[in-house]
Amino acid sequence: MKKLFWLLPMILIAILAGCNNDKPTPDERLSQYIKLWNDQKFDEMYDYLSSDAKKSVSKEDYVSRYEKLYSDLEITDLDVSYKKLSDDQKDDNKKKESAEIPFTAKMNSMAGEISFDKDAKLVKEERDKEDNWYIDWDTTYIFADLGADDKVSLETVPAERGAIMDVHENPLAMNGIIYQVGLVPEQMENETTEVEKLAKLLDIKKETIEKALSADWVQPNLFVPIKKLATGDQAYLEKLFALPGVQKQDVAGRIYPYGEAAAHLIGYIGNITAEELEKQKGKGYTGSDVIGKRGLEQVYEEKLRGANGATISIKKSDGTSVTLADKEVKNGENIILTIDGDLQKKIYDEMDGEAGAAAAINPTTGETMALVSSPSYDPNKVVAGLTTSEQEDYNNNKLEPFTNRFKNTYAPGSVLKPIVAAAALTEGVITPEQERKITTKQWQKDKSWGNYYVTRVHTSSAPVNLADALLYSDNIYFAQTALDLGKDKYTTELKKFGFEEDFDFAYPITKATIGKLDSDILLADSGYGQGQVQTSVIQLATAYTPFVNGGNLIKPVLLQDDKKGTVWKEGVMSSSTANTISDDLQQVIDNPSGTARAGKISGMTLAGKTGTAELKAKQGEKGTENGWYVTYDKKDKDILIAMMIEGVQDKGGSSHVVKKVKNILED
C-alpha cells in the first residue's frame, strides 16, 4: 500500500511533463499556418494572427485582400516553406516569449514567378487560459516589400491577335478599326426624340440606349458608347451623325473581309464569358479579353491570341516602385491557309444561299482550296453585335445559317458508287467487262425482302457492265455488287478510304461512317450510297484522290506550313483500277447519255459523278433529296470539287448541282 502512494506523485509528474511537451512549438505553429497558406484557406489563417496583428486588420479585410490579389494576379503553384529549427533552437524558444523563423514563398503569376524570403515572427500569448504561439502578421507577409500604405499594381499590355490569311496572304481575319457610336448627353437637344431616332437607325431597342445613359458613371460631357458598327456606308453614317449628340470613336476590332463566304471556316471572336474564363483559368485571360468562339478563331485560339505582357509592382507611398514580376508581351502568330479566298467566295456566291456544302482541293497535293457552308452569317455583324432585326432574321431562317454543313456528314448517294466499284474490282468480285442482266426498273434479292425493292432511274433491257453502271448511275447494279462483296469485304474496303476513322485535318470534321450492315437490304442500299453510310464533303473529295494518283489516297491539308502531297493511305486500289474508273467517270460527263453531261466544259478534261441521296421515312413516300456532284480535272490534276445541295427534289436533282460547279470551273 505504501509503495502505491509513493508511485502516484511520480505518475502525476510524468503526466504533467507529457502535457507540457504536447504544447506546440513555434515551428509547429508556423507549419500549420503555412499549410493553410499553401491551401489558400485564408479564413482559417486569420485565427493564427497575434492580437496586435488583428488590431491592424479585420478578418474580412485580411481574407478579401488575399483572395482578390491571388485572383487578380492569377496566383498558381503557391509553395511556402520554412527552415525547420534544430532541437537546441526549439529548447531555447521554450524559454522565450517570441521567436523568428525564416520562410520562403514562391508562386507563379500572370507576369511570371514571384518569390521572397522573410523571417516569420511568432509571439507567445495566453488565450482561453492556454499559452500558444501566434503570427505577428503585417502586409510584408503578402509580399516582402509591401508596406501598410503601399499598393499592388498590375499593368498589362494586350497581345496583338494574329491574322488568318489565304494562300495569297489576303486577310481572312485581321485586326482593324471599327466605329463605336455613342452619345454626349449635353449635346442632345431632345433626349426622348433622339433616343428613339437613334434606336431606329441602329436597329436596337431604345431601352438599351436609355440604360447606357443612366449608368452611374455618366456625366453630361462624357461620351457614352452605345453600339459598335462593323461597316457603314457614307449615307448611313451621315444620317447617324446628323442627330445632335451622336458621335463616334475609332476602336480596335476584328475584321473579316470575306464575310459570309468564309464565316464557318474562319469563325469569329467575342468577349470571354464567365464560364470560358473559368475553363481557361491559369492561361492569362482576364474578364476584358476576347476569345475565339467558332471556326479557326476557336481551333487556333492559343496560337492566334499570343500572350499578354504584364508587370506586377508595388507602388510605394513615397512614390517609388518595386517590380515583383515582369513578362514581355508576345503577339499572336499569323496563320496562312491553303485556301484561295477568291475561289471560296466564288463557290459561296454560286450556292446562292441554298443549304449545302462544298470542298475544293488540289487532288495531287492535298491543298484545300475552299471549304464552304451555305447559308451563312456575317461574322463582322456578330462581332459588332447583331441588331434586333438581324437576330430575328437569323433565328427565323429555316435553313439555319449558323449550322456548319461542311463539317457534318450526310448520305452520299450515288457519288459513292466509284468507291464501291474500286472495292469490288480490288476484291475480284467484278471485272470491268462483266455484265449484269438487269431488265426491270425495280429489283429485290428474293421474297424475304417483302415489299422492299431497289429502284433505278435509267431503264433498259440491255446487259450492264461497270462503265454502263457508272454512266447511267444504276442503283441495281451497285446493290448487287455490294451483296456480292459481302459485309466484311465491303467494310474492309471502305475503311481503306478513311471511313470509320478520325479525319486527320486542321479543322475538326465529323468522321465518315459505314453504319450497320446487319441485313441484306442495308448492305444493298449501302452499295449506292444510301443505307447508313455517311460522309462529309471534304472526306468525300479526299476519297476521290486515288483516281488521280494511281491508287494513293492523299492527305488533305489546310495550313500552308503543312507538308503537301503526303500519302494518307497507299495503294487503296491498283493504278489499273484507278485508271479504269477515271476513264469511266470521264464518260459520265463526255457521253451525251451521262448523268453529268451538263457539266462538260470545252478545253477541260473532266471526270465526275453525280448523286442524289433520298431522305424519307419509308419506301413509297416522297421525301427530300440532297444533290451531289464530284468532279476533277484529269489533265491538269490541279482541282477537284465536291458539292452537296439540300432539297433539290424540285430543282432538277443533281443536275442543279452540276450547273453550279460548271459555272465555278468556267470562271
Side-chain angles (χ1 to χ4, degrees):
M1 190 71 176
K2 288 181 180 180
K3 187 176 181 181
L4 182 60
F5 280 117
W6 178 79
L7 284 173
L8 285 174
M10 298 298 292
I11 293 171
L12 185 58
I13 291 170
I15 291 172
L16 290 173
C19 290
N20 187 58
N21 289 334
D22 288 341
K23 288 185 178 181
T25 61
D27 60 328
E28 289 172 340
R29 285 286 283 178
L30 180 61
S31 174
Q32 294 166 3
Y33 180 81
I34 283 176
K35 185 179 186 310
L36 295 173
W37 192 354
N38 283 324
D39 293 337
Q40 298 188 35
K41 295 181 178 179
F42 306 120
D43 186 75
E44 295 179 42
M45 286 167 62
Y46 187 79
D47 296 334
Y48 283 73
L49 269 55
S50 68
S51 298
D52 286 343
K54 287 185 174 181
K55 290 176 184 177
S56 68
V57 62
S58 68
K59 184 173 185 177
E60 182 181 358
D61 289 344
Y62 175 88
V63 173
S64 64
R65 188 168 192 185
Y66 266 108
E67 287 180 344
K68 180 168 174 47
L69 278 174
Y70 278 34
S71 174
D72 291 349
L73 304 182
E74 295 188 6
I75 300 298
T76 59
D77 303 323
L78 179 64
D79 181 16
V80 186
S81 59
Y82 74 99
K83 185 177 180 181
K84 294 185 178 181
L85 300 179
S86 66
D87 291 338
D88 290 341
Q89 289 173 317
K90 290 179 182 179
D91 291 338
D92 190 43
N93 278 330
K94 291 178 182 178
K95 306 169 186 176
K96 297 180 179 179
E97 298 299 313
S98 65
E100 289 190 1
I101 305 174
F103 74 87
T104 298
K106 293 180 181 179
M107 61 198 79
N108 284 324
S109 74
M110 65 187 305
E113 184 179 283
I114 299 174
S115 65
F116 63 90
D117 297 320
K118 181 174 172 57
D119 289 339
K121 185 179 179 182
L122 291 89
V123 294
K124 187 183 290 185
E125 292 183 3
E126 182 182 338
R127 294 184 190 175
D128 299 327
K129 297 182 180 181
E130 286 189 11
D131 288 341
N132 214 330
W133 292 92
Y134 295 90
I135 314 295
D136 202 17
W137 182 93
D138 59 32
T139 53
T140 61
Y141 282 74
I142 300 176
F143 298 119
D145 293 300
L146 184 64
D149 298 323
D150 300 341
K151 304 293 182 184
V152 177
S153 169
L154 170 63
E155 297 175 9
T156 59
V157 180
E160 183 177 324
R161 193 173 183 87
I164 303 175
M165 296 180 281
D166 80 349
V167 69
H168 305 297
E169 299 194 18
N170 297 315
L172 299 168
M174 60 183 286
N175 303 316
I177 299 298
I178 62 175
Y179 292 149
Q180 175 70 270
V181 176
L183 287 163
V184 178
E186 67 180 11
Q187 295 178 8
M188 299 170 69
E189 295 174 0
N190 185 314
E191 182 174 322
T192 302
T193 302
E194 288 165 23
V195 165
E196 289 179 352
K197 288 182 178 179
L198 183 59
K200 187 175 181 180
L201 280 172
L202 292 177
D203 192 16
I204 59 176
K205 296 178 180 178
K206 68 175 185 176
E207 289 80 9
T208 302
I209 302 175
E210 291 168 346
K211 183 179 179 181
L213 290 172
S214 63
D216 293 340
W217 62 269
V218 172
Q219 298 294 324
N221 63 332
L222 294 180
F223 176 85
V224 181
I226 303 298
K227 188 181 186 311
K228 292 178 180 177
L229 290 181
T231 57
D233 58 44
Q234 195 58 38
Y236 172 67
L237 293 174
E238 286 176 1
K239 286 181 182 180
L240 276 176
F241 302 131
L243 293 175
V246 176
Q247 293 188 12
K248 72 174 179 68
Q249 290 181 347
D250 292 345
V251 296
R254 195 71 163 168
I255 298 173
Y256 301 95
Y258 285 84
E260 295 179 350
H264 287 287
L265 175 62
I266 305 303
Y268 58 86
I269 62 170
N271 294 328
I272 193 167
T273 64
E275 292 78 12
E276 288 168 333
L277 197 59
E278 179 62 27
K279 188 176 180 180
Q280 301 294 335
K281 195 172 183 180
K283 294 184 179 180
Y285 287 91
T286 67
S288 61
D289 282 335
V290 295
I291 192 170
K293 299 284 185 177
R294 286 186 178 224
L296 293 175
E297 289 276 35
Q298 183 180 47
V299 174
Y300 288 98
E301 166 67 16
E302 190 172 339
K303 277 189 176 182
L304 290 166
R305 74 176 288 258
N308 293 339
T311 301
I312 299 172
S313 58
I314 295 172
K315 302 298 183 183
K316 308 293 289 183
S317 57
D318 62 4
T320 61
S321 66
V322 177
T323 300
L324 295 177
D326 183 48
K327 183 177 72 174
E328 288 187 7
V329 64
K330 180 183 177 184
N331 290 328
E333 299 178 36
N334 291 338
I335 294 177
I336 302 176
L337 308 178
T338 58
I339 295 292
D340 183 316
D342 291 341
L343 179 60
Q344 177 86 13
K345 187 175 188 307
K346 194 178 297 180
I347 292 175
Y348 180 78
D349 290 345
E350 186 63 40
M351 295 177 78
D352 197 25
E354 295 184 66
I361 66 173
N362 183 313
T364 58
T365 66
E367 292 167 279
T368 305
M369 302 158 70
L371 208 49
V372 179
S373 177
S374 176
S376 187
Y377 59 90
D378 188 342
N380 295 297
K381 293 179 179 179
V382 174
V383 169
L386 295 175
T387 66
T388 303
S389 61
E390 287 168 348
Q391 186 67 64
E392 288 177 354
D393 287 344
Y394 284 137
N395 291 341
N396 295 332
N397 190 332
K398 294 181 180 179
L399 298 182
E400 300 177 349
F402 283 95
T403 296
N404 185 346
R405 289 172 167 83
F406 72 67
K407 74 182 289 292
N408 293 336
T409 58
Y410 301 85
S414 294
V415 287
L416 190 71
K417 289 173 181 175
I419 296 168
V420 175
L425 289 172
T426 300
E427 293 289 347
V429 170
I430 62 170
T431 64
E433 301 79 17
Q434 178 184 337
E435 295 179 334
R436 293 186 184 276
K437 294 181 180 179
I438 305 171
T439 58
T440 59
K441 186 174 182 178
Q442 290 188 318
W443 172 85
Q444 61 177 194
K445 179 185 176 184
D446 52 42
K447 297 297 181 182
S448 67
W449 284 19
N451 294 323
Y452 191 84
Y453 291 86
V454 175
T455 304
R456 62 176 179 167
V457 176
H458 175 79
T459 55
S460 171
S461 58
V464 180
N465 62 19
L466 177 59
D468 297 329
L470 288 170
L471 182 70
Y472 301 119
S473 200
D474 195 315
N475 288 346
I476 296 176
Y477 178 95
F478 284 98
Q480 292 177 355
T481 298
L483 290 171
D484 290 345
L485 268 169
K487 172 183 175 181
D488 292 340
K489 288 181 179 179
Y490 181 93
T491 301
T492 297
E493 289 297 325
L494 254 67
K495 283 183 177 180
K496 290 181 181 179
F497 292 87
F499 281 73
E500 300 293 346
E501 184 177 329
D502 289 338
F503 193 63
D504 185 14
F505 193 60
Y507 191 108
I509 301 291
T510 305
K511 70 180 179 181
T513 55
I514 299 170
K516 293 181 179 179
L517 297 174
D518 52 3
S519 72
D520 282 345
I521 290 176
L522 272 177
L523 179 57
D525 284 347
S526 299
Y528 54 95
Q530 294 277 174
Q532 296 177 353
V533 182
Q534 298 268 309
T535 182
S536 65
V537 67
I538 179 65
Q539 186 151 4
L540 180 66
T542 302
Y544 270 64
T545 61
F547 302 131
V548 183
N549 298 292
N552 292 330
L553 188 72
I554 301 299
K555 182 182 184 300
V557 295
L558 182 61
L559 304 180
Q560 184 69 344
D561 289 341
D562 286 346
K563 186 178 179 182
K564 301 169 184 66
T566 301
V567 174
W568 179 16
K569 294 180 184 291
E570 188 173 2
V572 299
M573 65 184 78
S574 68
S575 60
S576 174
T577 294
N579 292 334
T580 295
I581 294 177
S582 191
D583 288 343
D584 290 344
L585 294 182
Q586 183 179 344
Q587 290 305 306
V588 171
I589 295 173
D590 286 351
N591 191 306
S593 299
T595 58
R597 60 193 176 277
K600 184 174 177 60
I601 298 174
S602 177
M604 294 186 75
T605 307
L606 297 175
K609 184 71 188 75
T610 58
T612 304
E614 294 181 282
L615 309 175
K616 54 188 178 182
K618 59 183 180 180
Q619 194 172 48
E621 289 185 350
K622 182 173 175 58
T624 60
E625 295 178 356
N626 291 343
W628 289 85
Y629 182 46
V630 184
T631 187
Y632 57 89
D633 189 331
K634 280 185 66 179
K635 183 179 178 182
D636 294 334
K637 301 182 178 181
D638 58 355
I639 190 167
L640 185 156
I641 296 179
M643 181 181 287
M644 181 276 295
I645 299 290
E646 297 177 16
V648 297
Q649 61 275 6
D650 297 319
K651 300 176 183 178
S654 59
S655 64
H656 179 68
V657 188
V658 173
K659 292 172 185 176
K660 289 182 178 293
V661 174
K662 179 182 179 181
N663 290 339
I664 294 163
L665 291 174
E666 281 185 326
D667 230 8

